[in-house]
Amino acid sequence: MARVSQEHLDARRRQIIDGAALCFARNGFHATSMQDVLKEVGLSAGAVYRYFGGKEELIGAIVGEVLEWIQATFEAAAKETPPPPPDVLVGRALSQVLSRRTGVEEGEASYFPRLIVQVWAETLRNKELAALMNQGYTRVRVAWVKIVEGYQAAGMMRDDIPADHVARVMVATAQGFAAQLALFDDVPLGALEDGLRGLMSMGQPS
């Protein structure tokens, strides 16, 4: 029997994760069955269960992947001297996540905001997912603390406020905008960037 290449295995896993994410974003975790996922990806049960034991594992894989993308973006920014300003950095992180996977039709809005809201709701009842989210949030917050310390060292931000407090607010800003994208129509990413620039300009001459 011919050996299956790692590239093929990775592509198949990618196919399953993307299809499951779209199903979950569209109908929610509880209303989506594994049969729905199988239909979406066009694979047999055996092919899917080779990679994932069920919905819980699929959800964990999707959440872990998104958290890794966000963490990588902020960790890379923390290494810049000075780091990009918040409007650029938060806008960059969200645009990268939103552009990773779109809907099934070309030009369709990203399904990730809807998926994120579904994940938050599921976290309230799923201890394993809550633990994964807490770990991811901690890593992202640590990266943001380094970014804020970079701002303070460069004289871009007052240094009498704990960096961790600023980091938490910046994470909350991204979370809140993601919720707007999920719940409301016509929310341009540029509005977030402009809004952050406006807040950053307080106390400065116009």
Side-chain angles (χ1 to χ4, degrees), residues 18 22 26 40 98-99 101-111:
D18 288 348
L22 184 56
R26 184 191 298 135
E40 183 70 38
L98 294 177
S99 66
R101 298 286 177 266
T102 54
V104 292
E105 299 294 337
E106 184 176 355
E108 186 178 347
S110 171
Y111 57 69

Side-chain angles (χ1 to χ4, degrees), residues 42-57:
L43 296 174
S44 67
V48 171
Y49 283 108
R50 176 179 182 180
Y51 296 87
F52 301 100
K55 283 202 305 183
E56 299 295 328
E57 287 188 17

Side-chain angles (χ1 to χ4, degrees), residues 38-189:
L38 298 179
K39 182 178 179 180
E40 183 70 38
V41 300
L43 296 174
S44 67
V48 171
Y49 283 108
R50 176 179 182 180
Y51 296 87
F52 301 100
K55 283 202 305 183
E56 299 295 328
E57 287 188 17
L58 270 167
I59 295 168
I62 294 166
V63 172
E65 187 174 77
V66 174
L67 290 172
E68 286 178 4
W69 294 341
I70 297 173
Q71 179 187 352
T73 297
F74 291 146
E75 286 182 344
K79 296 177 182 177
E80 299 183 40
T81 307
D87 58 313
V88 173
L89 184 50
V90 175
R92 179 193 300 175
L94 278 177
S95 64
Q96 287 182 358
V97 170
L98 294 177
S99 66
R100 289 281 183 162
R101 298 286 177 266
T102 54
V104 292
E105 299 294 337
E106 184 176 355
E108 186 178 347
S110 171
Y111 57 69
F112 267 114
R114 288 177 56 85
L115 182 63
I116 289 169
V117 173
Q118 298 283 355
V119 169
W120 291 341
E122 184 69 8
T123 298
L124 298 177
R125 59 162 295 278
N126 186 320
K127 291 183 179 180
E128 290 76 16
L129 185 58
L132 179 63
M133 286 288 289
N134 274 312
Q135 292 169 5
Y137 172 72
T138 298
R139 292 194 297 267
V140 170
R141 197 178 82 242
V142 167
W144 254 112
V145 167
K146 294 178 181 178
I147 292 168
V148 174
E149 290 173 347
Y151 293 153
Q152 294 173 335
M156 298 169 60
M157 182 180 290
R158 52 190 290 182
D159 59 6
D160 61 334
I161 297 175
D164 179 66
H165 294 184
V166 180
R168 290 175 183 272
V169 171
M170 295 313 303
V171 173
T173 299
Q175 290 174 320
F177 201 77
Q180 287 192 34
L181 289 170
L183 299 172
F184 310 115
D185 295 329
D186 192 26
V187 184
L189 186 58

Side-chain angles (χ1 to χ4, degrees), residues 5 19 150 179:
S5 69

